[in-house]
């Protein structure tokens, strides 16, 4: 996450948010958000993808990641326990 973002970084982060909304609107995004610590905060985005290559493309296409404002790592994830509606 960026502390004291420049105007350009603010534009990129806004575009990043719009990208996440678009992922949600097309049904791929499960959730996205950020931690609330004062220091060391980070974001988590959970989305569905057909395979690792597709998932990597989604991650690398995120505006803040593509611009180098945010760093991202990809982790395969499988839900083990969830409230109704989130199971496979």
């Amino acid at each position: 996450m960026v502390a004291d973002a420049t105007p350009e970084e603010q534009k990129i982060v806004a575009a990043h948010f719009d990208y996440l909304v678009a992922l949600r609107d097309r049904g791929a995004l499960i959730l996205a958000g950020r931690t609330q610590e004062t220091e060391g905060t980070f974001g988590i985005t959970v989305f569905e993808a057909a395979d690792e290559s597709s998932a990597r493309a989604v991650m690398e296409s995120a505006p803040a990641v593509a611009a180098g404002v945010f760093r991202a790592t990809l982790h395969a994830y499988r839900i083990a326990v969830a409230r109704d509606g989130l199971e496979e």
Side-chain angles (χ1 to χ4, degrees), residues 45-75:
T45 303
V46 179
F47 59 92
E48 293 179 305
D51 54 35
E52 182 179 347
S53 177
S54 299
R56 190 163 300 284
V58 169
M59 179 185 75
E60 291 173 351
S61 296
V65 175
V69 175
F70 294 168
R71 290 178 306 192
T73 57
L74 184 65
H75 301 272

Side-chain angles (χ1 to χ4, degrees), residues 31 77-88:
L31 64 88
Y77 187 84
R78 181 182 314 263
I79 297 171
V81 178
R83 69 174 189 236
D84 288 345
L86 289 179
E87 297 91 0
E88 285 189 72

